[in-house]
Amino acid sequence: MCGIFGYVGTKNAAPILLEGLRQLEYRGYDSAGIFVPGHALVKAAGPIVNLAAKIPDDLPGTTGIAHTRWATHGPPTERNAHPHTDASGRIAIVHNGIIENYRELKEVLSAQEIPCNTDTDTEVLAKLIGSLYTGDLAKAVQTALQRVRGTYGLMVSTADDPGTIIVASMGSPVVIGLSADGHLVSSDPSALLAHTKDVVYLKDGDLAVVTRDSYTITTVAGKPVDRAAEVIQWDAESVQKQGYEHFMLKEIHEAAEVIKNTTRGRIIAKEGKVKLGGLEAVLDQIKDLDRLVIVGCGSAYYAAQVGRYTLEEYAGIPIEVELGSEYRYKNNLQTGKTAVLAVTQSGETADTLASIRKAKAAGLLTLGIVNTVGSTIARETDAGVHNHAGPEIAVASTKAFLSQLTVFVLLTVLIGRENGALSTADASEILAGLEALPTIIDSYLQDVSAIEAIAKKYSTYNHAMFIGRKFHTPIAYEGSLKLKECTYIHAEAYAGGELKHGSIALIDTDFPVIALVPQDDVYEKMISNVEEVKARLAPVLAIATEGDQQIAEIADDVLYVPLVHPVLQPIITTIPLQLLAYNVGVAKGINVDRPRNLAKSVTVE
Ligand code: AGP
């Protein structure tokens, strides 16, 4: 899940490439590099700032390709950094994806005495293209790609024809930007916003020949294809920090606005009704479902788990929740009246995408809850709901997670009203609560100083255990994931009732417990669980309902949150967990926007 960026136009390419890479750095920051045909090939290990230091400000050349890396094959060194070149050094490639049969191809090349000098799969492709090149770069790339198995979003350039970039896509996102002074190429549309909103998304199997004044798209086999230009909905400002120290903190503080945007035009509270335009065409099928399988990875998987509770409890339909990396390899998919719903912020997560393609191949209805408009999963699912949470730049998902929980509430009311499981009165109560939520969250976020203070205390521990029950069990898992991602602290999560079956053995004075104890229908049970871990001398931080004195007598520290409708409570309870992870990470001096070993969208398996 690297980031690729390209430019062919009238201006000097180097500064444009560097700024494009900075916008894409959330996709990987192990190493970076640029190729300006006829002028320079520069690489550096580590973040973009290291590369920028090696590039002269006045580097000429109005075409270039660039890359920021998340290492999959070979350690994050300068040697393994992209761009990689062919044997002559005149052809260079940048690649996001995995060439699965690179070992085979490497043997073919070494039989032709064409050695590879790095550990990467990508260099093999560069050497292969070079071995097939007889002056027509597009032809050589086409022929090479017909021998490749795997995924790619790539660009190839040569000093022999500096005004042309060859671009191809298979399983990794690539978008072409149409601007007044030339063309741009990027893994993500948000990196193009500084130049243009007019873009063309490549589809799997597309290959484009891009020059300053034109772009032609064919299949890898050479058959011309037509791809319509689209307009990006977001503006350049939305991908800036707007005065916050980190994107993560900015995105946490966008919670109220995000819930407003996610629900805008979708609630008819008086009638207890929800309108989800993107599902209208398939509402009859949804209403008739025997089973809904929800697929996601990471935070999206935990949002799906909360969705299962709300849909089963209030809409009465049986739900299965699957990890994308597991579901994609399942056999004998159950069919019948089953639909598969993908939950994904980026819309590009390889395991979730493969799960959708598997369901589609089995003839199942595929649905999506997707934040990134125009992403592959948004385009390939039959119907769905956009989150409208805006671009999420920080690697740790925060606002998109809250928006996913909000969409599940909307979906629950929609299906519950359609199949009669939910009364108008109950639906109106939930929707009225949802309409009031942004104001409640806004006032809650006015003063989060208590969390900053508590975070300092808990940043001194090397372990943590999160516990919750029912709707808050998946929130405990999400809290633990956030803490792991942003602080590198070993964090576990369990359903409160599960502790005594083994994991309570971990508990002692060095293993704090973060307990989610809102005053809902399992409150008393959670209180008993808190007393259980206190009996083992665990330091306890409770996330509890404002005004709850009982928990203050048991727990060492309490972070209070407002009490709202049980189906909405997980949205509020998550916010202090996001802020805790953020503040502990900052207290430990970690770059919380770019945690080690991670990347924002996981486009490889
Ligand atoms: C969450 O903070 C992580 N960035 C990660 O677990 C993420 O949720 C997962 O990779 C799924 O991404 P998606 O929502 O873009 O599909």
Side-chain angles (χ1 to χ4, degrees), residues 20-29 46-49 68 395 594 598:
L21 288 183
R22 288 191 191 97
Q23 295 295 329
L24 292 174
E25 197 168 23
Y26 68 85
R27 302 177 65 88
Y29 23 93
I48 311 292
V49 64
T68 182
V395 167
R594 305 270 175 276
L598 293 181

Side-chain angles (χ1 to χ4, degrees), residues 237-250:
E237 218 217 5
S238 63
V239 288
Q240 307 302 328
K241 281 189 196 146
Q242 295 169 4
Y244 285 91
E245 196 191 342
H246 295 98
F247 280 108
M248 185 177 178
L249 188 62
K250 172 202 169 217

